[in-house]
Amino acid sequence: MAVSGRLPACGVLVGSEKGEVPGLSSYAARIGRHFGLPSRVRRIAMLSVHTSPLHQPGTGDAGGMNVYIVELARQLAAVGTEVEIFTRATTGALPPTVELAPGVLVRHVDAGPYEGLAKEELPAQLCAFTHGVMQAWAGHRPGHYDLVHSHYWLSGHVGWLAAQRWGVPLVHAMHTMAKVKNAALAAGDRPEPAARVIGETQIVDAADRLIANTAEEAAQLVHHYDADPALTAVVHPGVNLDRFRPADGTAAARARLGLPQDALIPLFAGRIQPLKAPDVLLHAVRILLDERPALRERLVVPVVGGPSGSGLAKPEELHKLAARLGICDVVRFRPPVGQEELADWYRAASVLVMPSYSESFGLVAIEAQAAGTPVIAAEVGGLPVAVRQGESGFLISGHDPADYARALRRFDDHPELAARMGVAAALHARGFGWDAAARRTLDVYADVIAERGGHLRSVHV
């Protein structure tokens, strides 16, 4: 293949400021990947309007997406791509910028009142947020950002305008979709509004590339939003394998947390809201105790997390349910905890129970498995990818508490099952490191910049 243009002696030419050769940047990007050389994406603007990467996951609107953004940004920076994350300021005490990690900067944007603003009220603040993003950009030279990567539909609308104004590509990750959530609502949960459906449809049309967590999510984008399959890339999220690992084992973790060594411990970890279905676990525990009253003496059910989403309307509802079911003595409610302590809760558990009605992937399931703990999960969304059926855990079709009680019974009948499946779970989770997720994401960035005729940088070797 003949390509005109001059290649520098110490690098791969992937675009020039003048005299751009049609198709050259795409060719160079492919050549770089062929020889194991990353295409140089210098700096990206990452947008997370409604939840800050600095917030504690497990309460409010902070959850798996926060973990995703933090870990992906850190890994991108580690391989040379700087990341600036724009998020809404939620208190006046926050500094304008915070260094999250070397090469990762969090920018706080004033948009609406700092506190008391629900996620559903944020669309009215998108103009103010966009203005703040543009102000930050105005202080830089042209070409400061190579690309915009937005997370969740609110960020997508800001990203759409920013990318157009800056003349760079927009990559968008939905994380959750209104149409998918509305098709699988928990009893009594409120549906996502029509405005969100319209907004998501517009972003799908506007984005240069969509990133889906799984092939199923990519298919949902095509089916529900008429996304172009050719512009939809699948990138599995990762897990921090240094933090979430078996470490010194179950006994040591239980000792640190003050849990009995001989207990059966089914754990729920995550945001407490109808979508996550922690009530299913509590009902399953009641069924199990009805069948096996003696189990009460050695059953501990930790619920680690805080109210979120529609669960904020009735923050004590799960406590009241435990009381109505007569299981307050075995259920232990704990507030959200930091990542290091969360890893101990995973290690201490016999099994993680995740009966969600919808999950785009289920990072909690991968974290638990990486820590050596099997998972009982609903067979929804990305959980069939996150959990290997019969090896690293059990997938349940539907949300009947009796089915979850039946799965829990297996761990009571076979005390060795948790340890045996935990070994397989840890091995399975090792295939989901953030380094692989970052490499795949960089490939998406490189491809979309090349397609837009952008200027990928020279990589020196």
Side-chain angles (χ1 to χ4, degrees), residues 105-407:
L105 193 68
V106 176
R107 292 186 176 274
H108 292 118
V109 178
D110 288 329
Y114 292 126
E115 298 176 356
L117 197 63
K119 183 169 63 175
E120 292 74 18
E121 299 173 287
L122 285 176
Q125 305 300 330
L126 291 184
C127 286
F129 191 93
T130 303
H131 174 70
V133 172
M134 293 303 175
Q135 276 191 316
W137 171 75
H140 299 300
R141 297 176 60 185
H144 184 72
Y145 302 111
D146 292 331
L147 177 140
V148 176
H149 188 168
S150 55
H151 298 269
Y152 194 67
W153 77 279
L154 293 170
S155 302
H157 274 266
V158 179
W160 178 10
L161 294 173
Q164 284 193 336
R165 178 68 181 87
W166 303 342
V168 300
L170 171 65
V171 174
H172 181 73
M174 284 290 198
H175 291 280
T176 63
M177 291 174 271
K179 288 185 178 181
V180 175
K181 291 179 70 174
N182 288 347
L185 284 176
D189 204 3
R190 62 173 180 261
E192 295 295 317
R196 176 178 172 181
V197 175
I198 295 169
E200 289 176 343
T201 303
Q202 292 172 328
I203 296 162
V204 169
D205 289 340
D208 294 276
R209 191 73 88 250
L210 297 166
I211 289 183
N213 289 328
T214 63
E216 180 179 357
E217 185 183 351
Q220 289 170 338
L221 282 163
V222 174
H223 174 72
H224 291 295
Y225 295 90
D226 199 27
D228 184 345
L231 301 181
T232 305
V234 175
V235 180
H236 294 322
V239 62
N240 187 325
L241 295 170
D242 293 326
R243 177 179 296 122
F244 298 104
R245 64 191 194 284
D248 50 0
T250 301
R254 290 186 176 189
R256 285 190 289 270
L257 295 171
L259 298 171
Q261 292 294 333
D262 63 343
L264 175 65
I265 304 181
L267 166 70
F268 176 89
R271 291 176 289 156
I272 298 175
Q273 62 181 111
L275 176 72
K276 303 295 184 180
D279 59 300
V280 171
L281 172 58
L282 298 196
H283 281 288
V285 167
R286 177 69 267 176
I287 292 171
L288 198 61
L289 289 177
D290 285 343
E291 296 172 346
R292 305 180 178 195
L295 182 59
R296 187 181 291 270
E297 300 301 319
R298 55 181 186 83
L299 180 65
V300 178
V301 184
V303 177
V304 181
S308 174
S310 55
L312 290 167
K314 299 179 179 179
E316 301 300 321
E317 187 65 22
L318 205 62
H319 294 73
K320 293 177 180 178
L321 176 61
R324 290 197 302 271
L325 294 174
I327 58 174
C328 288
D329 57 321
V330 300
V331 179
R332 299 189 184 182
F333 290 98
R334 295 291 183 269
V337 297
Q339 297 278 282
E340 294 295 339
E341 186 176 344
L342 180 60
D344 255 357
W345 280 105
Y346 290 144
R347 295 181 193 111
S350 306
V351 61
L352 175 81
V353 183
M354 204 169 176
S356 305
Y357 283 88
S358 177
E359 289 285 350
S360 61
F361 186 68
L363 284 178
V364 169
I366 285 292
E367 289 173 352
Q369 291 173 94
T373 299
V375 177
I376 298 172
E379 195 174 10
V380 300
L383 287 170
V385 175
V387 179
R388 184 166 288 170
Q389 170 71 312
E391 295 183 26
S392 68
F394 298 109
L395 295 166
I396 308 294
S397 178
H399 301 85
D400 186 342
D403 293 331
Y404 290 82
R406 191 174 301 114

Side-chain angles (χ1 to χ4, degrees), residues 50-53 55-70 175 269-271 273 276 308 339 342 359 363-364 367:
H50 79 282
T51 179
S52 169
H55 287 170
Q56 171 66 59
T59 190
D61 292 316
M65 192 181 91
N66 294 64
V67 176
Y68 183 110
I69 291 171
V70 168
H175 291 280
R271 291 176 289 156
Q273 62 181 111
K276 303 295 184 180
S308 174
Q339 297 278 282
L342 180 60
E359 289 285 350
L363 284 178
V364 169
E367 289 173 352

